[in-house]
Amino acid sequence: MPPETNSAALPSPTFNIVKRRLSFFGLTLDECIQVFFGGNAFVAVVILGLITYFLFREGAEFFGQNRQNLTVYRQAGLEYVDFMRRQEQAHTALTRDLFELRMRAVSDMTTRQGLTLAEANQRLASFDDYAGRFDDAIGPLRGMVADLTEVATAIKTKFNINQDKLEEREQLQSAGRTVEANAVKVEPVDFASEIAPILATRDAYLENNRVLAAEFAKLVEQVPAAPTPKLQGAVERFKVKVKAYVATFPSIEAEMAAWDFRKSVPLWKAFSAFIFGRQWLTASFWQDWYGVVPLFVGSLMVSMVALFLAIPLGVGAAVYVNQIASLREQRFIKPCIEFISAFPSVVLGFFGIAVLGEALRALSQVTWLQWLPGFPIAERLNALTAGCLLGLIAIPTIFTLAEDALQNVPRAFKEASYALGATRLQTITKIVVPAGLSGIISAILLGLGRVIGETMVVLLCAGNRIAIPDFTEGLSAFVQPVHTMTGIVAQEMGEVVRGGIHYRALFVVGIFLFFLSLGINFLAQKIVRRYRISIG
Amino acid sequence: MSAPTFSASMDPSTKSIRTTSPSPTAPEGKPSAAVAPTLIDIENLDFHYGATKALHGITLKVPDRQVTAFIGPSGCGKSTLLRCLNRMNDLIDGTRIGAGSIKIRGVDIYQRDVDVIELRKRVGMVFQKSNPFPKSIYENITYGLRLQGIKDKGRLDEVVEKSLRGAALWDEVKDRLHASGLGLSGGQQQRLCIARTIAVEPEIILMDEPCSALDPIATAKVEELIHELKLKYTIVIVTHNMQQAARCSDKTAFFYLGKLVEFAPTRTIFMNPENPQTEAYVSGRFG
Ligand SMILES: Nc1ncnc2c1ncn2[C@@H]1O[C@H](COP(=O)(O)OP(=O)(O)OP(=O)(O)O)[C@@H](O)[C@H]1O
Ligand SMILES: [Mg+2]
């Protein structure tokens, strides 16, 4: 239609492109949404920062306190007494060797030589006599250690009471109750005079050492002939051990001579006592030790078992689902494996105690499986039980990520391989898996991160014995109970005094875990990034 | 397969290397074009992707030691047919041959007792997008041989050189055989893929738009290569480039909507096709 005729009648069309304002507090809807999401992201970052800050603030003071802990250990003479105690304990280990030798002899005699128990005992009479004398030889040293232990403990207790009183006084003073504060009597502990009686035993100790050395030199000569020919080697080994034991005396004496209660403990000792400390011993009457090694070893062993199971299963399943399975199988297997992660870990832990632990122990009693290291299993809950369950937890992580990695391998590689006459197996092993390898490795690392951080299962199933397992027997160390870093925090955090050294030690374990996980994740990401680049 | 092993008979009289010639010409007045024996015999082939039928009754005889080009608009089934020839379609779930047969030297390759691995060694394939493995150039070429269990270093070295020379790539890469194949240019990568394919000495080479990602110079090199290769190999090439089909091939098949519309010597297809659709397509009026 001709525009001239209508332009007068119709209202002229407006060119309205001005945004309609829907505003809350002066913000448009868009801006509100932006603020909402930005705010969420910001809060997340702030919370993360706060957690990290809190962790470090609580943990950092541990080292100062641990230094103080070690200083008292030295000043009150506990350290000095422990030199002797170690000497005594080394002897105890030798006695244990003799005892084991006897046990083997008895079993040899009763099973191989067909003797009755009474006959065997009779034959071993001279051996028993020797063992008795060997044990008695340490008597004087043992007595000395026991006496000094009491003295040192008394000094330490006195010091601790003083510390408590000091604290009380300070609290009263800061509360403004000066009169009461002054009424609190504090006698500072004079370590020099307190440990004098300990140091006074020095000459007696040295004299005793000489007697001991002579005694053992004699005893080595008198070691009875092996009760059965099979034990000849063990007897010879025992002799060598005793000689080596006597040879350590001078170095112990030298250490004790160099020891000075006034020497201050350097701060790095507080660190190294944590990182390399082989004992985690708390609330002890003698001395508390906060060494992370047994816990770290426990975590490591449990994780190793878990990965040992989860790598073949997870990666194998990923390869199968991604490369071999039909669509129907894929639709079945994938949700099944992902379903595992739906189990609450406490349920898995319960399963571990009630079913898996028992089943493993029953299995370990089967006669034709006795060749396996560590079988039969003595403890129902151990690193193996916990590791098996953790493996179950790691499988979905490893499976899903490894499957992704394989999925990302370009189809073209696979086709090219087939077109050159490769079988499916060849294509998988020579092309697909190598091309996805870095992705698979990072999947494994993330699985490891998942396993190291898992708490409930290890708390329930690892057996919770804080000790470095005995690796001298090889793989059987894996069926010994262990404790883990996560487990110890969960177990002890509820019972400790807030702000105390034990409390802070648990925080440092937490920080240690934090860095471990951080490192693992970082490594995994780096590997993935490299893999992206190489595939292009 | 009972097919005789390939023997490379070099006829010096046919050793003519022609590069880009501007107008479509038939292969240099070779009388043998008409009488060349059939190598691949496709008969009445139907092919299905699940429920969809992609090929309808294709009947085609690919001559021995010549270049056969497949042309046609996108989606008409050229790649599908090509991939039927070495059974690459087996890798796709739900595909099947509905009817008909494909025979190579008289052997039906879809028969049950056919060893697909052996078939693929005889029928090599070069893909549209160059796809060297993320391995070294050397490993890329020896991959096929190693699969067959050949480990002899001397033999492998020899094959690497021969294949790279055969693919006109030797001079460019001889100093960096152990560098990654992914570090080559697109054209070099494609020639590497060709070298990799001829390293296993197939009888037939299938090429699916081998030059579509290449610049004109790299394209010319590959075309030059095709001319040399056809002395020893039977080549089936899919292309969207009419000039390329005209330049390289001896016979051309034109497909439309899953059907073979016309199959004739290349000269005929481009100069005076029988079918009006073919005429329209090659002259660029549709497609
Ligand atoms: N994997 C597949 N699954 C289902 N249908 C497919 C598949 N691949 C191809 N097709 C169908 O088969 C038909 C032929 O495809 P094909 O790839 O052979 O065409 P083409 O001629 O090679 O095309 P282009 O020139 O674009 O490469 C198309 O309709 C396509 O949609
Ligand atoms: Mg195609």
Side-chain angles (χ1 to χ4, degrees):
Chain A
M1 46 184 127
E4 289 90 344
T5 51
N6 277 342
S7 61
L10 289 171
S12 68
T14 52
F15 187 64
N16 190 358
I17 56 164
V18 178
K19 200 190 229 168
R20 236 179 309 151
R21 289 208 168 265
L22 199 90
S23 68
F24 314 89
F25 309 112
L27 295 173
T28 63
L29 187 60
D30 273 1
E31 280 163 345
C32 279
I33 292 171
Q34 201 178 331
V35 166
F36 176 72
F37 286 114
N40 284 352
F42 180 71
V43 167
V45 170
V46 166
I47 289 176
L48 189 73
L50 279 178
I51 291 176
T52 319
Y53 169 73
F54 178 69
L55 202 61
F56 278 84
R57 205 199 58 186
E58 294 294 302
E61 251 171 72
F62 165 76
F63 295 104
Q65 288 185 350
N66 200 25
R67 188 183 178 189
Q68 173 67 19
N69 175 33
L70 293 173
T71 306
V72 176
Y73 175 64
R74 174 165 294 172
Q75 288 180 334
L78 278 71
E79 193 175 28
Y80 185 81
V81 179
D82 268 347
F83 288 129
M84 299 186 201
R85 195 192 303 282
R86 274 201 288 279
Q87 192 181 356
E88 185 208 329
Q89 282 167 346
H91 175 269
T92 311
L94 289 173
T95 321
R96 217 166 24 236
D97 278 359
L98 276 181
F99 181 69
E100 254 167 46
L101 235 141
R102 184 184 197 280
M103 288 224 304
R104 281 170 61 191
V106 169
S107 83
D108 243 21
M109 286 173 171
T110 49
T111 57
R112 299 262 163 80
Q113 304 180 358
L115 301 179
T116 67
L117 197 60
E119 284 171 330
N121 279 337
Q122 203 181 358
R123 284 209 189 176
L124 285 169
S126 68
F127 185 87
D128 289 347
D129 176 53
Y130 176 78
R133 279 189 290 135
F134 189 84
D135 192 30
D136 290 344
I138 203 75
L141 180 65
R142 197 175 278 158
M144 197 180 283
V145 170
D147 292 345
L148 293 184
T149 298
E150 252 169 57
V151 178
T153 314
I155 302 174
K156 191 177 166 188
T157 311
K158 199 162 165 190
F159 177 81
N160 283 343
I161 291 173
N162 261 358
Q163 289 299 103
D164 289 349
K165 278 193 185 158
L166 268 177
E167 215 166 279
E168 192 187 340
R169 190 157 75 179
E170 256 165 49
Q171 271 172 5
L172 286 172
Q173 238 154 15
S174 62
R177 291 148 71 177
T178 342
V179 185
E180 287 166 71
N182 289 339
V184 177
K185 287 267 174 300
V186 182
E187 302 167 38
V189 180
D190 176 22
F191 286 110
S193 63
E194 295 281 353
I195 71 162
I198 297 181
L199 293 175
T201 60
R202 201 179 151 71
D203 290 335
Y205 168 74
L206 290 178
E207 177 55 33
N208 184 41
N209 255 6
R210 263 188 295 285
V211 174
L212 267 186
E215 181 92 15
F216 282 124
K218 234 188 318 171
L219 281 167
V220 167
E221 297 311 316
Q222 296 169 359
V223 175
T228 63
K230 246 186 79 189
L231 294 176
Q232 189 57 46
V235 169
E236 290 306 321
R237 270 201 300 284
F238 176 73
K239 279 187 193 168
V240 173
K241 270 189 184 174
V242 174
K243 280 182 191 151
Y245 172 59
V246 175
T248 60
F249 287 10
S251 70
I252 295 176
E253 283 167 15
E255 257 184 309
M256 286 168 76
W259 183 81
D260 183 355
F261 74 97
R262 281 166 303 224
K263 251 191 232 159
S264 75
V265 178
L267 190 60
W268 64 264
K269 267 265 163 76
F271 279 96
S272 67
F274 176 80
I275 293 172
F276 303 111
R278 298 163 63 88
Q279 277 193 79
W280 180 279
L281 197 62
T282 57
S284 117
F285 83 98
W286 178 247
Q287 169 67 13
D288 287 354
W289 294 106
Y290 301 95
V292 82
V293 172
L295 306 173
F296 181 69
V297 168
S299 285
L300 209 64
M301 283 171 67
V302 170
S303 307
M304 272 165 65
V305 174
L307 288 189
F308 184 77
L309 276 179
I311 291 173
L313 290 178
V315 175
V319 169
Y320 182 77
V321 165
N322 191 266
Q323 297 293 316
I324 300 171
S326 69
L327 216 59
R328 279 234 320 272
E329 283 176 304
Q330 277 187 29
R331 288 210 190 106
F332 175 72
I333 297 173
K334 265 188 167 180
C336 276
I337 293 182
E338 276 150 19
F339 181 68
I340 297 174
S341 55
F343 280 112
S345 56
V346 67
V347 174
L348 280 183
F350 178 69
F351 169 80
I353 293 177
V355 183
L356 186 66
E358 278 304 333
L360 280 177
R361 191 159 65 169
L363 185 73
S364 78
Q365 263 134 21
V366 177
T367 26
W368 51 269
L369 281 175
Q370 292 312 311
W371 54 271
L372 283 169
F375 276 29
I377 298 173
E379 304 279 344
R380 184 170 53 121
L381 301 181
N382 53 44
L384 180 68
T385 316
C388 288
L389 288 169
L390 283 185
L392 207 59
I393 289 180
I395 285 174
T397 308
I398 293 181
F399 167 78
T400 310
L401 294 169
E403 215 256 336
D404 272 1
L406 293 175
Q407 190 66 43
N408 283 337
V409 174
R411 209 189 143 70
F413 291 165
K414 216 170 105 177
E415 290 202 328
S417 172
Y418 281 119
L420 288 168
T423 62
R424 186 153 66 184
L425 192 66
Q426 286 170 330
T427 304
I428 290 171
T429 55
K430 298 195 172 169
I431 300 295
V432 180
V433 171
L437 193 61
S438 41
I440 293 174
I441 290 175
S442 77
I444 291 170
L445 283 178
L446 289 172
L448 175 64
R450 175 88 177 73
V451 163
I452 288 250
E454 170 59 41
T455 308
M456 198 40 100
V457 164
V458 290
L459 193 59
L460 291 173
C461 301
N464 298 354
R465 188 173 78 192
I466 311 174
I468 301 173
D470 180 12
F471 282 99
T472 51
E473 300 272 318
L475 284 178
S476 71
F478 284 93
V479 294
Q480 291 173 19
V482 295
H483 215 316
T484 56
M485 295 190 287
T486 48
I488 203 99
V489 175
Q491 189 182 20
E492 296 186 345
M493 193 50 106
E495 305 164 357
V496 296
V497 185
R498 220 193 134 185
I501 180 171
H502 188 179
Y503 170 84
R504 301 212 187 279
L506 293 177
F507 268 92
V508 178
V509 172
I511 294 173
F512 197 78
L513 266 170
F514 174 73
F515 276 117
L516 206 63
S517 298
L518 204 69
I520 290 170
N521 275 298
F522 178 75
L523 208 65
Q525 273 184 15
K526 258 202 114 99
I527 290 174
V528 167
R529 207 165 302 140
R530 253 195 55 201
Y531 150 83
R532 291 248 165 80
I533 291 166
S534 74
I535 292 291
Chain B
M1 268 178 62
S2 59
T5 45
F6 172 72
S7 64
S9 66
M10 287 269 256
D11 180 0
S13 69
T14 57
K15 203 178 176 186
S16 63
I17 302 159
R18 293 169 308 127
T19 50
T20 50
S21 48
S23 67
T25 46
E28 227 159 290
K30 230 173 97 184
S32 64
V35 296
T38 300
L39 182 64
I40 307 174
D41 186 359
I42 306 169
E43 221 161 301
N44 210 11
L45 186 77
D46 283 359
F47 183 85
H48 303 258
Y49 284 110
T52 49
K53 193 169 175 184
L55 296 178
H56 304 261
I58 307 285
T59 300
L60 191 78
K61 292 186 194 323
V62 175
D64 193 6
R65 245 166 285 168
Q66 290 198 0
V67 179
T68 304
F70 289 177
I71 61 171
S74 188
C76 67
K78 308 177 295 289
S79 299
T80 304
L81 180 59
L82 197 72
R83 292 164 59 92
C84 282
L85 301 182
N86 65 347
R87 294 187 53 171
M88 281 302 270
N89 284 327
D90 290 11
L91 302 178
I92 302 170
D93 280 333
T95 57
R96 70 194 159 85
I97 299 284
S101 67
I102 300 176
K103 290 193 179 116
I104 298 181
R105 287 200 204 283
V107 178
D108 186 344
I109 61 167
Y110 276 91
Q111 237 159 30
R112 256 176 194 220
D113 55 356
V114 165
D115 181 354
V116 184
I117 304 302
E118 201 56 39
L119 170 72
R120 294 197 187 123
K121 282 183 205 158
R122 307 295 183 93
V123 186
M125 187 160 200
V126 177
F127 297 83
Q128 173 172 8
K129 195 168 166 291
S130 62
N131 54 357
F133 299 124
K135 298 172 184 276
S136 72
I137 294 170
Y138 187 91
E139 284 173 334
N140 261 285
I141 292 172
T142 54
Y143 180 76
L145 294 177
R146 282 185 202 271
L147 291 180
Q148 297 171 23
I150 296 167
K151 291 203 183 74
D152 175 31
K153 180 96 171 53
R155 168 91 193 278
L156 292 178
D157 287 349
E158 194 182 306
V159 171
V160 167
E161 178 167 354
K162 197 170 121 203
S163 311
L164 283 173
R165 282 192 194 283
L169 191 59
W170 175 252
D171 292 330
E172 288 158 69
V173 302
K174 63 171 185 266
D175 299 324
R176 47 168 172 158
L177 290 178
H178 295 282
S180 169
L182 295 175
L184 299 175
S185 76
Q188 287 173 327
Q189 285 190 12
Q190 194 60 294
R191 277 178 285 147
L192 175 62
C193 292
I194 294 174
R196 178 174 73 182
T197 305
I198 59 184
V200 291
E201 306 219 312
E203 292 177 55
I204 301 164
I205 300 177
L206 310 174
M207 298 184 173
D208 194 350
E209 302 181 39
C211 303
S212 65
L214 304 185
D215 67 58
I217 293 173
T219 302
K221 282 196 172 163
V222 173
E223 283 179 14
E224 199 176 311
L225 186 57
I226 290 171
H227 273 295
E228 287 185 42
L229 292 176
K230 82 173 182 188
L231 300 177
K232 295 173 84 181
Y233 306 98
T234 302
I235 295 172
V236 183
I237 178 169
V238 170
T239 177
H240 276 284
N241 180 333
M242 291 308 116
Q243 280 85 37
Q244 186 172 54
R247 282 191 300 260
C248 310
S249 68
D250 301 301
K251 292 189 89 174
T252 298
F254 171 63
F255 294 86
Y256 185 55
L257 294 180
K259 295 194 177 82
L260 176 63
V261 176
E262 190 166 350
F263 179 51
T266 300
R267 178 178 211 117
T268 319
I269 292 279
F270 284 92
M271 300 308 251
N272 47 4
E274 264 175 33
N275 194 298
Q277 274 176 331
T278 316
E279 211 268 314
Y281 184 73
V282 298
S283 59
R285 271 185 278 120
F286 101 103

